[in-house]
Amino acid sequence: MSTFKALLLEKNEQSVTATLKELAVNDLPEGEVLISVAYSTLNYKDGLAVTNRAPVVRQFPLVPGIDLAGIVEESTSAAYQPGDGVILTGWGVGEMYWGGLAQKARVHSDWLVPLPDGLSLQNAMALGTAGFTAMLAVLALEAHDITPDSGEVVVTGAAGGVGSVAIALLAKLGYTVVASTGRVDTATDYLMKLGASRVMGRFTPSKRALEKELWAGAVDTVGGETLAALTRQMVRWGSVAVCGMAGGGDLPATVYPFILRGVNLLGIDSVMSPFITRQIAWQRLTETMTPELLELITERVIGLVEVPAVSQDIMQGQVRGRVVVDVNR
Ligand code: NDP
């Protein structure tokens, strides 16, 4: 097909609109690899972009979608041949460059990761940037010697995308995982099925510099007062993988956990991760996330036309786990 469907973000003087359009292949930006996209997904950042809640998008018009999985249609890169399955996450795609919420994408070959054997295109997007980020967080904790024997690991924003995959991964790897969520009433069953050993509410602010040592490790997707609370409650030499800011971008903490208990904050950046890290992370995801876990984290599969409405849901914290977008639906 020389035309294809795409969600297009356009800016006028008053607002940003997201409309389903029919585009021509010639409209696509330059790149070595033309991809027939099968699935994309909705991450928190896609929600920000599509609802224009934060200035995530740097150029208009733009096809949003920070993730895609599909089949190579044409390639001038020796690394990829027509028919190859590929995954793309990050690199500013869906922010500065046209992204995955379309039936076709033309991209730079350096941005791609070969689809690992044993992972379907749909399940690659059940994971997407959220799953990749969760895996990076687990790799960072492992690199800082946080093992299943170290003690409990807490995951915040537990019922969200990054949180859900982090719980599933850590539990499967033998860690004792505590899920912190604002949805104790509605998400406990789900979080326990993912492998949490128990579920607790959200963290609360405190004026104290140090509190009882509770957590050997933490995966934080919330930031703000939540991350500050974690620093106060980490055990000596404990590590927090700092992933997100769903609850705020500030960090109202003190230096005492770091200088008196040797606590580590491990920054997680999925967008600019190098190729080798991506390959390792996607291989580990493929080995660790069973089909049952992938099905459990996939809250729904939607079509392109539903993306604007579901983007509002994700901004209101109403999405549990992951949303996959079937761009051909
Ligand atoms: P989701 O929207 O799927 O999940 C976010 C979760 O955070 C919600 O489900 C909710 O969990 C919790 N939450 C939301 N608002 C608040 C609040 N005000 N206070 C406390 N908790 C809150 O988003 P993702 O999982 O996709 O992303 C999570 C964060 O990680 C985002 O900030 C995102 O930008 C960031 N991120 C960073 C990446 C990186 O490279 N560093 C890559 C991917 C994401 P619950 O209902 O369980 O409390």
Side-chain angles (χ1 to χ4, degrees):
M1 63 183 156
S2 55
T3 65
F4 64 96
K5 288 198 184 70
L7 196 71
L8 198 68
L9 298 181
E10 293 172 294
K11 190 174 189 174
N12 60 35
E13 275 164 26
Q14 286 87 38
S15 61
V16 172
T17 56
T19 326
L20 196 57
K21 297 250 166 145
E22 194 81 22
L23 300 180
V25 172
N26 287 344
D27 294 330
L28 287 168
E30 289 186 359
E32 300 91 55
V33 186
L34 177 67
I35 298 165
S36 175
V37 180
Y39 295 95
S40 184
T41 171
L42 282 189
N43 296 279
Y44 188 84
K45 197 185 267 179
D46 298 310
L48 290 173
V50 174
T51 61
N52 196 32
R53 189 75 69 86
V56 167
V57 175
R58 314 283 174 75
Q59 63 136 339
F60 293 93
L62 181 116
V63 174
I66 66 171
D67 297 340
L68 65 84
I71 301 292
V72 172
E73 214 173 286
E74 295 170 11
S75 171
T76 57
S77 157
Y80 295 97
Q81 310 303 321
D84 288 350
V86 288
I87 303 171
L88 195 165
T89 67
W91 294 117
V93 166
E95 303 178 64
M96 281 177 283
Y97 311 108
W98 282 24
L101 288 166
Q103 291 174 316
K104 286 190 194 290
R106 196 186 283 122
V107 303
H108 293 297
S109 56
D110 291 351
W111 295 343
L112 296 170
V113 177
L115 184 74
D117 285 344
L119 187 65
S120 70
L121 293 169
Q122 179 171 337
N123 282 340
M125 289 296 97
L127 294 163
T129 283
F132 175 55
T133 303
M135 191 69 241
L136 292 180
V138 172
L139 290 170
L141 293 178
E142 287 177 347
H144 281 75
D145 296 328
I146 310 301
T147 69
D149 294 333
S150 304
E152 285 187 323
V153 176
V154 65
V155 176
T156 64
V162 177
S164 293
V165 183
I167 290 167
L169 287 171
L170 287 163
K172 200 84 202 338
L173 294 168
Y175 290 84
T176 305
V177 191
V178 178
S180 164
T181 179
R183 294 182 259 183
V184 174
D185 291 349
T186 55
T188 292
D189 187 44
Y190 166 70
L191 295 167
M192 298 294 284
K193 280 187 185 144
L194 285 178
S197 65
R198 63 189 168 91
V199 176
M200 60 177 275
R202 288 181 176 166
F203 287 81
T204 48
S206 156
K207 293 245 181 301
R208 299 181 63 186
L210 292 169
E211 294 172 11
K212 189 173 173 197
E213 294 180 39
L214 296 175
W215 318 111
V219 176
D220 179 49
T221 71
V222 173
E225 291 286 2
T226 298
L227 179 53
L230 288 175
T231 65
R232 296 190 296 271
Q233 297 181 7
M234 300 308 292
V235 305
R236 184 172 304 281
W237 317 123
S239 291
V240 187
V242 181
C243 298
M245 35 60 75
D250 56 345
L251 179 51
T254 72
V255 298
Y256 296 109
F258 310 106
I259 63 173
L260 298 179
R261 290 181 180 163
V263 168
N264 302 300
L265 289 189
L266 315 177
I268 304 299
D269 169 24
S270 65
V271 176
M272 302 305 286
S273 285
F275 179 76
I276 182 69
T277 309
R278 290 172 189 265
Q279 263 198 318
I280 291 167
W282 280 104
Q283 193 53 45
R284 289 282 305 273
L285 282 166
T286 304
E287 287 162 9
T288 316
M289 293 293 289
T290 61
E292 294 74 26
L293 288 169
L294 288 160
E295 197 182 324
L296 202 55
I297 62 166
T298 306
E299 191 205 63
R300 46 189 144 159
V301 181
I302 62 170
L304 281 174
V305 72
E306 295 157 86
V307 166
V310 181
S311 296
Q312 297 288 352
D313 293 348
I314 206 166
M315 286 296 90
Q316 283 155 25
Q318 286 170 2
V319 168
R320 194 197 70 189
R322 303 277 298 139
V323 175
V324 173
V325 183
D326 177 350
V327 299
N328 298 305
R329 188 179 261 201

